[in-house]
Amino acid sequence: MRALILPDVEAISHKAAEIFLHLSKQYISSAKRFVVALSGGTTPKRFYELLGSEIFRDVIDWSHVHFFWVDERCVPKEHAESNYKLAFDLFLSKVPHNPSNIHRIKGEEGPERAASEYEKDMRGFFGTSGFPVFDLIMLGMGEDGHTASLFPAAESLKEKTRLAIPVYMSKPNSNRVTLTLPVLNNASHIVFLVAGKSKAHIVKEFLAGDKESKQFPAGLINLVKDNIQWLIDREAAGI
Ligand code: 6PG
């Protein structure tokens, strides 16, 4: 794992936006497209704002970027908790993207149906019956070590064949859909954005290469190639 500790959320967000720009150029020049999956949560907000700001808005070839989501709450797309809305409001609405390149998870259709439609969408887009290869997946990590909507000790961690699965939460109306581990682990690049002192205890285990950290969902992300970049702010790194 490659870990970069930077002063604050501003710094990790800039670094993430630079990586996004760099990879977009690389993939668009070689493959004429750049396929990304985005996360929700609070940490990526500044990263999204930067993508929509004049620094990055005009230097990324948005029309060739294809957007998928790592996970989604089962809410309508206008809902405050929608991960699609988060990205749309903060940058997609501000950049010249191609609307047909947006592949959102239709959470409003309910967990089962949204997951199976999303899987169908991915299979059609990537044209494969195996696991798709995303060029870049942006991930976050919760205080309990969850990533995407893959929570510690959940059955979802055992999924071996599906691309997207429903996730039933204990709170009513908070069910979700998530990409599965085999999909995350098949990506070409993953960037983790981790900030805040509430994450320090768990980041410490990761940085120490502690075996225990492998039990957390985020610790199960293990690309074959060493293409996982952790961007961690000082608070999360505990320094
Ligand atoms: C989501 C996620 C989730 C998130 C982590 C970290 O939609 O909530 O995709 O996995 O990345 O919970 O969230 P924070 O950035 O808010 O700490």
Side-chain angles (χ1 to χ4, degrees):
M1 123 181 191
R2 285 186 293 147
L4 191 58
I5 298 168
L6 294 166
D8 48 23
V9 172
E10 188 66 18
I12 62 170
S13 305
H14 269 272
K15 185 68 193 171
E18 279 161 21
I19 294 172
F20 189 103
L21 168 63
H22 170 76
L23 290 176
S24 72
K25 285 187 174 159
Q26 185 183 309
Y27 281 97
I28 292 169
S29 80
S30 61
K32 305 270 177 293
R33 71 180 199 190
F34 178 47
V35 190
V36 301
L38 305 170
S39 277
T42 50
T43 318
K45 285 185 178 170
R46 183 61 187 142
F47 162 61
Y48 292 157
E49 276 173 10
L50 283 170
L51 290 181
S53 74
E54 55 200 19
I55 317 173
F56 292 96
R57 191 180 52 213
D58 303 331
V59 289
I60 292 171
D61 179 0
W62 293 105
S63 62
H64 289 94
V65 185
H66 296 256
F67 302 92
F68 288 79
W69 273 261
V70 162
D71 63 349
E72 185 59 278
R73 277 118 181 123
C74 289
V75 294
K77 70 181 196 311
E78 305 76 19
H79 194 281
E81 286 185 34
S82 157
N83 286 348
Y84 161 80
K85 178 177 162 58
L86 181 78
F88 188 82
D89 288 355
L90 295 180
F91 81 99
L92 283 171
S93 57
K94 301 179 175 147
V95 301
H97 70 276
N98 180 347
S100 60
N101 291 357
I102 293 194
H103 301 261
R104 75 177 182 90
I105 304 172
K106 295 186 181 128
E108 68 276 16
E109 300 198 346
E112 278 296 339
R113 192 160 161 192
S116 76
E117 284 194 6
Y118 191 45
E119 176 153 328
K120 224 184 277 163
D121 187 4
M122 282 186 278
R123 292 217 183 277
F125 177 83
F126 288 98
T128 173
S129 54
F131 292 108
V133 182
F134 282 94
D135 300 326
L136 171 66
I137 298 186
M138 300 296 306
L139 290 177
M141 181 178 72
E143 292 167 26
D144 57 357
H146 81 261
T147 192
S149 288
L150 298 167
F151 293 91
E155 281 296 303
S156 56
L157 295 171
K158 297 184 191 146
E159 180 59 47
K160 297 271 189 302
T161 54
R162 282 181 292 175
L163 312 186
I165 49 171
V167 178
Y168 297 96
M169 309 289 285
S170 50
K171 273 200 278 161
N173 302 325
S174 57
N175 295 332
R176 303 174 180 207
V177 171
T178 187
L179 290 181
T180 57
L181 270 179
V183 175
L184 301 181
N185 275 328
N186 211 36
S188 296
H189 299 268
I190 283 186
V191 172
F192 269 96
L193 282 182
V194 184
K197 55 175 182 287
S198 63
K199 317 262 172 79
H201 65 288
I202 203 154
V203 169
K204 196 170 154 204
E205 292 186 30
F206 277 103
L207 293 181
D210 201 319
K211 279 210 194 96
E212 288 298 303
S213 66
K214 294 267 182 260
Q215 293 175 12
F216 301 123
L220 300 171
I221 305 298
N222 186 13
L223 303 187
V224 180
K225 291 173 240 139
D226 184 25
N227 281 349
I228 311 182
Q229 176 70 66
W230 286 71
L231 299 176
I232 303 168
D233 79 346
R234 287 173 65 97
E235 281 191 354
I239 52 173

